[in-house]
Amino acid sequence: MDEKFTAAFSKVWRADDKNLHVNPEVIVPLSYAVKRNALTNGTRETLRTAIDYWEKFPTALLVFASSSHCFPGSEKTEERFKFEMLDQAVVSRESVLSCGPIVNTVTEAEAICRTLRETGKHLKNILLVTGIMHSRGVKYIWGKTLKKYFPDAKLAITVIPLEYEYQKDHPLMLQRGPLRWIFANIARQVSLRILGLKFTGKLYEPSSLD
């Protein structure tokens, strides 16, 4: 029952670009947090997918931020694991931009857009790599944030499979199962629509690893 509901709901909820035609200047793998000894499945898969796109568009800048609320110093741990993956894939450090600590998708979008603006780049096309359930909230948050920093930029979204977005040992409780994760995304979307981006940006889920 849970699997049928999850599959049906995700088809309705997903907000990615089905026919993806993009030549991005920036590729952004969104974070799904980090464990003490490894990236979470979601974070690893968004980065792996971003690397695949970077290999197709090697002039693009691969940009990410890292979660600081998983445990003390988790943003440094996540950044280190990501650079290890990038080094293994032979992605040059000149093609990578790390944008510091974040605690949710709102602060992630802010940190990345603010850092990109500081580079002085004029961006036309940005590709985000996220998950199926996460995509609707991501599209809303990044759409609003880009208007502030890069109003002329076009946003494209590609997704990883739903099963990477949650795992039993995830440091965040709401990402330990598909139904919890569906609930979390619906709740965030309600908060965004009713309470707004600024208020929602102050909310984040405490980690079980603190």
Side-chain angles (χ1 to χ4, degrees):
M1 179 65 181
D2 288 354
E3 290 182 2
K4 289 183 178 180
F5 170 77
T6 300
F9 188 84
S10 65
K11 287 181 180 179
V12 175
W13 188 260
R14 64 187 299 166
D16 56 315
D17 297 284
K18 303 296 191 302
N19 298 309
L20 192 64
H21 299 288
V22 63
N23 186 9
E25 293 107 350
V26 171
I27 303 170
V28 183
L30 298 191
S31 175
Y32 280 79
V34 64
K35 301 190 296 178
R36 292 186 187 277
N37 62 347
L39 296 173
T40 61
N41 296 340
T43 300
R44 186 186 67 252
E45 189 64 14
T46 58
L47 182 56
R48 188 197 64 76
T49 303
I51 291 169
D52 287 345
Y53 275 100
W54 181 84
E55 289 174 346
K56 297 176 183 177
F57 305 102
T59 60
L61 190 62
L62 201 155
V63 185
F64 64 81
S66 302
S67 301
S68 62
H69 61 303
C70 302
F71 50 86
S74 63
E75 72 276 12
K76 295 297 184 182
T77 300
E78 182 172 337
E79 181 185 56
R80 175 168 56 84
F81 286 143
K82 286 178 173 177
F83 273 119
E84 287 176 0
M85 273 189 69
L86 291 164
D87 289 344
Q88 289 173 4
V90 198
V91 179
S92 66
R93 291 293 177 102
E94 292 78 16
S95 297
V96 180
L97 182 62
S98 177
C99 300
I102 50 100
V103 296
N104 56 34
T105 307
V106 176
T107 59
E108 184 176 33
E110 279 282 339
I112 290 173
C113 286
R114 184 173 60 249
T115 304
L116 283 169
R117 187 173 66 178
E118 290 170 356
T119 68
K121 291 183 179 294
H122 179 69
L123 302 180
K124 294 182 179 180
N125 295 293
I126 299 175
L127 175 62
L128 303 182
V129 184
T130 186
I132 288 176
M133 280 305 303
H134 201 28
S135 60
R136 184 171 294 270
V138 164
K139 187 173 185 177
Y140 183 89
I141 291 166
W142 275 81
K144 293 285 187 181
T145 307
L146 282 178
K147 286 182 181 179
K148 176 181 174 182
Y149 289 95
F150 300 102
D152 297 326
K154 292 183 179 179
L155 180 67
I157 297 175
T158 189
V159 294
I160 61 172
L162 175 62
E163 57 263 30
Y164 289 106
E165 295 188 79
Y166 58 87
Q167 61 190 82
K168 291 181 179 180
D169 62 344
H170 200 285
L172 307 181
M173 295 291 290
L174 291 176
Q175 287 180 244
R176 290 189 177 178
L179 295 183
R180 293 184 187 187
W181 183 229
I182 287 174
F183 168 79
N185 281 274
I186 293 172
R188 182 184 57 198
Q189 201 68 6
V190 171
S191 178
L192 286 168
R193 295 287 184 172
I194 296 176
L195 301 176
L197 199 66
K198 186 175 181 179
F199 180 85
T200 305
K202 297 177 182 179
L203 305 175
Y204 67 93
E205 185 187 356
S207 170
S208 62
L209 300 181
D210 282 343

